[in-house]
Amino acid sequence: MKKINKLISKNYSFKLLQYFIFCLIFVSFININVDPEKIYPEQIKFLKNDFDLEKNIEKLTRSKGYLVYKEKQWNERNFFKILLRNYKNSECLIFGASSIVTISAQQNPKTLTKSCNTILNLGLPGGTFEDYFALSNHIPPSEIFEKKIFLSIQPFTLNFNRDHRWIFNSKSYYEFLKKLKFDNLKLNEPKQVKNEIISKSFNNLFSFEYFKHSLQILFYLNKENFKILDDIKKINTAEYNVMLFDGSRKKYMKPNKSNNNINLKNINSRIIKDQWYDEEVLSLFAKYKEYYGKNNEIIFLLTPFHPKVWELENEPIVEAMVKVESKIHEFSKENKIDIIGSYNPKNLGCLSNEFIDAVHPSNLCLSKLESSHFNYSD
């Protein structure tokens, strides 16, 4: 009897192991082939995605319409690399993280109206200075004149490698560093970045979160996931993502939102205590100004945080905002770079109900950015 039980137990364990291996293979197969972040090479994929990103971006910009979608079928860094080809058509280029994605000369209320008639918004989720440089690699200084180039400075921006997503464009980033004649690679040493790419590829292979995102994309592929429209009056922006032809995104804001329902859980994301800024990154910004500043104007942009964040006096984010804003003013005076905006909503007259969440101001607040303009360039 004991032998039979032992045999049954072994058989059960073996089947459980088989099932586990099958699940891993299935998850990795879906993750590689759907690949939400587009990090795996197309050559190893069995399922071919016939979505033509370039053609759709061209259609979007030509129609001056709206891109409406449920789930992204592209990597956003690749999307904006293609959209950037239209840089000559805009008076202002804005590089930044998610806090600037609604800035636009097309949406109401309009933003940066004193500075810009037309804007190309290149804001990225988790956008770091490495992202700004990687995208800038596609803009030859000999072909860009009399533009205003806005560089959004977040409390984490003046540091290396504060978000891993820039690695998607790491090749372009390193090419740009060579153009700036900057040799000290420090934390972004190529070998380390290559190891991070390998690590990220392996982790995503078996990631349940990546699998969930992959399934969502597969679900919407058979539906009206992606459309380019001339008008969005009938679109429920609470259900759909909306991007304009200028790269800006339309953010849904709950009506009559309570000021007390702000989620402050991840407010210290990308902030490392006592590592508020890196002098090497500031040196890179000085070189960036030299590279483009002869024929164009470089402007630093600071976007405010919700008033509730400023009440967290003992949190690292508050110290980061105070120290980084002070440092960027000191640096801007020395390098003759203007600053527009502030981390402190009081400096702009932004109210608590003018924020989408703790770190994302609405366009109503962003329309007040130019009320705080420090002219250091003269």
Side-chain angles (χ1 to χ4, degrees):
M1 189 70 181
K2 282 184 180 179
K3 283 185 178 180
I4 294 171
N5 286 338
K6 210 171 183 180
L7 209 62
I8 291 170
S9 177
K10 276 186 178 179
N11 191 38
Y12 176 76
S13 298
F14 181 69
K15 284 187 175 179
L16 196 64
L17 180 64
Q18 281 182 313
Y19 176 74
F20 178 71
I21 291 171
F22 171 79
C23 286
L24 280 182
I25 292 171
F26 179 72
V27 167
S28 62
F29 177 82
I30 295 296
N31 284 348
I32 284 176
N33 282 280
V34 178
D35 191 14
E37 293 182 16
K38 304 297 177 236
I39 60 172
Y40 300 109
E42 291 297 320
Q43 300 93 302
I44 67 171
K45 297 178 182 178
F46 289 95
L47 303 175
K48 298 300 177 185
N49 188 348
D50 58 2
F51 179 77
D52 191 326
L53 184 58
E54 289 196 31
K55 191 179 286 185
N56 279 289
I57 291 175
E58 185 185 329
K59 184 181 175 183
L60 174 67
T61 53
R62 193 174 57 246
S63 68
K64 296 190 183 299
Y66 303 85
L67 169 61
V68 179
Y69 61 95
K70 285 267 190 180
E71 289 292 331
K72 295 193 302 288
Q73 299 175 44
W74 56 83
N75 182 295
E76 285 193 275
R77 278 148 178 82
N78 192 35
F79 186 103
F80 283 97
K81 183 171 72 174
I82 298 169
L83 188 69
L84 184 58
R85 293 171 188 170
N86 299 299
Y87 70 85
K88 290 182 181 178
N89 300 328
S90 299
E91 183 184 354
C92 297
L93 309 179
I94 304 182
F95 296 93
S98 56
S99 63
I100 64 111
V101 299
T102 60
I103 290 178
S104 173
Q106 305 299 322
Q107 298 192 47
N108 286 314
K110 298 180 192 301
T111 41
L112 299 176
T113 52
K114 293 177 185 175
S115 306
C116 311
N117 291 315
T118 53
I119 293 172
L120 183 61
N121 188 318
L122 301 161
L124 289 164
T128 60
F129 88 87
E130 290 98 338
D131 282 305
Y132 308 174
F133 284 21
L135 285 173
S136 296
N137 186 47
H138 304 285
I139 308 174
S142 59
E143 295 182 17
I144 182 169
F145 301 95
E146 298 180 355
K147 302 283 186 191
K148 290 175 183 172
I149 302 175
F150 287 83
L151 302 174
S152 173
I153 306 295
Q154 292 294 308
F156 59 83
T157 304
L158 303 180
N159 290 280
F160 288 97
N161 212 21
R162 283 297 168 90
D163 191 287
H164 67 269
R165 283 171 280 188
W166 72 271
I167 289 171
F168 180 85
N169 282 330
S170 58
K171 183 182 176 184
S172 188
Y173 167 75
Y174 288 118
E175 285 175 1
F176 191 67
L177 287 193
K178 286 179 182 176
K179 291 175 182 176
L180 295 183
K181 298 178 180 172
F182 185 79
D183 298 321
N184 186 0
L185 297 174
K186 211 172 180 183
L187 292 177
N188 284 355
E189 194 269 323
K191 188 176 179 183
Q192 181 184 341
V193 170
K194 189 176 180 181
N195 291 338
E196 284 193 36
I197 293 171
I198 293 169
S199 172
K200 182 175 171 61
S201 300
F202 182 79
N203 290 339
N204 280 1
L205 199 61
F206 305 108
S207 164
F208 181 66
E209 285 302 313
Y210 207 64
F211 180 63
K212 268 201 319 185
H213 194 181
S214 295
L215 290 181
Q216 286 172 330
I217 290 173
L218 278 177
F219 176 77
Y220 285 118
L221 279 178
N222 298 321
K223 299 177 180 290
E224 282 200 313
N225 175 47
F226 179 100
K227 38 194 171 182
I228 294 171
L229 304 174
D230 295 326
D231 190 284
I232 56 165
K233 286 176 184 172
K234 294 181 181 178
I235 295 294
N236 184 350
T237 54
E239 294 181 9
Y240 284 88
N241 296 296
V242 178
M243 180 186 288
L244 281 71
F245 69 91
D246 65 353
S248 68
R249 274 128 288 181
K250 202 166 186 61
K251 290 286 184 182
Y252 173 71
M253 199 168 172
K254 290 179 184 175
N256 303 318
K257 184 177 177 182
S258 167
N259 297 342
N260 300 315
N261 293 335
I262 294 297
N263 185 350
L264 301 169
K265 189 177 178 183
N266 299 314
I267 199 63
N268 292 309
S269 175
R270 305 183 191 91
I271 301 296
I272 300 175
K273 191 170 174 56
D274 297 325
Q275 294 181 26
W276 313 120
Y277 53 84
D278 191 311
E279 293 291 346
E280 293 288 354
V281 176
L282 289 164
S283 296
L284 277 170
F285 277 120
K287 284 185 173 289
Y288 189 98
K289 200 238 175 178
E290 286 175 26
Y291 192 67
Y292 287 118
K294 187 177 179 182
N295 298 312
N296 306 280
E297 187 179 355
I298 309 300
I299 301 169
F300 287 140
L301 190 68
L302 306 184
T303 52
F305 284 64
H306 193 282
K308 287 268 179 194
V309 178
W310 283 91
E311 293 175 11
L312 307 173
E313 294 178 3
N314 297 320
E315 292 294 331
I317 182 63
V318 176
E319 190 173 356
M321 287 190 290
V322 171
K323 292 199 169 170
V324 171
E325 185 157 352
S326 173
K327 184 64 180 179
I328 205 67
H329 274 275
E330 177 191 314
F331 175 80
S332 297
K333 285 177 188 174
E334 291 172 4
N335 291 274
K336 297 186 176 181
I337 299 173
D338 284 6
I339 296 178
I340 289 178
S342 172
Y343 296 142
N344 195 328
K346 289 180 181 177
N347 295 338
L348 305 172
C350 289
L351 305 176
S352 56
N353 61 357
E354 295 174 357
F355 284 80
I356 297 165
D357 56 34
V359 299
H360 298 102
S362 72
N363 269 23
L364 194 56
C365 172
L366 291 171
S367 67
K368 303 172 183 179
L369 282 173
E370 288 172 306
S371 64
S372 177
H373 187 161
F374 293 86
N375 191 342
Y376 296 133
S377 58
D378 290 343

